[in-house]
Amino acid sequence: MNPNEPIQVSESTLASARVLFALLVREMATRFGGSWAGYLWALIEPLAFIALLSLAFSQIAHSPPIGRSFPLFYATGYIAFSYYNDIAALTGRSIHVNRPLLSYPVVGPLDTVLARFLLQGLTGLAVAAIVFAGILAVFADQVQIRPLPLMASLALAALLGLGVGLVNCTLFAFSKTWELIYGVIARPLFQVSAVFFTFASMPAYVREVLWWNPIIHLVGLMRAGFYPAYDASHVSHVYVLALTLGLIVAGLAMMRVGSGRLAES
Amino acid sequence: MITFHSVSKRFRKNGVTKHVLIDASFALPEDRSIAVLGRNGVGKSTLIRLIAGTLSPDRGRIMRHRRFSWPIGFAGSFHPSLTGAQNTRFVARIYGRDSGALEEFVQDFSELGAFYHPPVSTYSAGMKARLAFALSMGVDFQVYLVDEVIGVGDTAFRRKCAEAFRQRMDRARVIMVSHSPALLREFCDAGILIEAGRLFYFNSVQGAADAYEAVLAKPLPA
């Protein structure tokens, strides 16, 4: 063993921490425009959407599919969906938007993905906390918060988003066609993710297909975290976890193979 | 200062594939400044960019034991939507420098004036080059990489660049591609010649220059 080795390791860890921090600051500068209005928008967008869904559906139904509060029902669906979706969308474009910075030898493609993952992960958590706290304070409902499924839903959503983002950020860099195809695949995702309905309310043959959509499971876990009477027996942690790990491993492998050309193309 | 482990690199230009390095392993000495020689299109710029890390090898590994600059004047690493000041702070952070001090130095040296604070996308090529040059002087690299240019901008600014560059040379080293024998002799005390995918090291610039004359007359078989 080289006696200098431990020093080199800590030096390189420090260097990656510096790079990650620099990228985080850089992302915040462009993401929120360095102003409070930018941060506020991250909160207003989901609130407006949940309000809109609640308003629309309360006109045609007497009560939401579960519980009594429309806003809470749509929040459980929308927050789980958007926590995944925002992370996937942002990390998926991390190489594209940061490409010039990759020509600094100390900045690697994975750093840009992790910086965006951290920023959106934390932003999304803050948004989720504020939205749920606000809704529960204003609209009474018979909820019993169970932290375990709630946290499982958010954790799996974050990792699934990271996996999809990792795969996409390399593929997008090499194939414009894939970017178009992915856009077509991802567009109807919101409509088939049980955000504004429940999985159980669908006919059996629809459920069989929908079950493979991992976001269904995330939304199921989220609702299990709020509604004691909700039946989340269709949720499979194993399926979501296996899919997530598969995507992360595939994404890292593609990035490794393509890394030489990522900075150049 | 840098070690290549069985590195291969080829590039395609106008449909022709060119092998710059084929399974090349070598280490460059820490205490020398090195002139890079080779026929046109043999891949001198590619070698500089491999050393800088802005290009990755197709095969093999490159280990850097010193802090290398990007090629002097290379402005391709600025983020267009960030301002000159923000790009400067980004560089200060990734290289662990004091942001305030670097920002001050760069603002002063680059002479960008009021343009320091708008986004880099509004800059002219010359302004970007001045920002890049000021930054590479401010970060205080251990090895500077030069691909033909040691100065940017108009005559006065070029003179200032050369002066700053000479000052750096009392504690930093350089790896330099240049068509000017005078420049190579002023800054370098060793040379390498790239030819036919291989790299030859010489203990003096003169040795490399003689070998270069020889391959000009009679290229090595690829």
Side-chain angles (χ1 to χ4, degrees), chain A residues 56-98:
Chain A
F57 280 94
S58 64
Q59 303 302 309
I60 53 173
H62 180 63
S63 69
I66 339 165
R68 270 195 303 241
S69 154
F70 280 98
L72 182 64
F73 177 75
Y74 295 117
T76 52
Y78 185 71
I79 292 290
F81 172 82
S82 65
Y83 194 54
Y84 154 78
N85 201 49
D86 291 347
I87 289 179
L90 274 155
T91 52
R93 292 181 51 77
S94 49
I95 289 180
H96 180 79
V97 297
N98 286 304

Side-chain angles (χ1 to χ4, degrees), chain A residues 6-21:
Chain A
I7 298 165
Q8 283 175 352
V9 167
S10 65
E11 168 65 23
S12 79
T13 315
L14 193 70
S16 354
R18 278 201 304 256
V19 168
L20 209 56
F21 176 69

Side-chain angles (χ1 to χ4, degrees), chain B residues 126-187:
Chain B
M127 286 157 69
K128 271 188 236 173
R130 263 164 30 211
L131 180 63
F133 189 90
L135 256 177
S136 55
M137 289 299 128
V139 173
D140 217 359
F141 288 105
Q142 290 170 307
V143 184
Y144 282 89
L145 299 174
V146 174
D147 191 354
E148 296 291 353
V149 284
I150 61 162
V152 295
D154 58 25
T155 319
F157 197 79
R158 251 169 227 277
R159 203 168 297 138
K160 182 170 154 185
C161 290
E163 197 41 55
F165 190 70
R166 278 193 188 94
Q167 268 176 29
R168 287 292 174 282
M169 283 307 109
D170 48 3
R171 55 179 184 278
R173 296 285 169 268
V174 64
I175 298 179
M176 181 182 271
V177 172
S178 177
H179 278 105
S180 154
L183 217 53
L184 291 177
R185 267 195 290 275
E186 178 185 350
F187 288 107

Side-chain angles (χ1 to χ4, degrees), chain B residues 17 22 112 141 178 216:
Chain B
T17 304
I22 303 169
L112 282 171
F141 288 105
S178 177
L216 270 186

Side-chain angles (χ1 to χ4, degrees), chain A residues 15 18-19 21-23 25-26 29-30 97-98 100-107 259-260 263-264, chain B residues 9 52-56 70 74 76-82 86-87 90-91 93-96 135:
Chain A
R18 278 201 304 256
V19 168
F21 176 69
L23 283 167
V25 175
R26 168 252 168 287
T30 40
V97 297
N98 286 304
L101 302 176
L102 292 179
S103 30
Y104 295 112
V106 287
V107 181
S259 69
E264 296 151 36
Chain B
K9 181 72 185 177
T54 57
L55 277 184
S56 300
W70 49 86
F74 172 72
S77 47
F78 293 132
H79 201 287
S81 62
L82 297 181
Q86 285 173 325
N87 271 294
F90 182 80
V91 171
R93 283 188 199 104
I94 61 175
Y95 286 106
L135 256 177

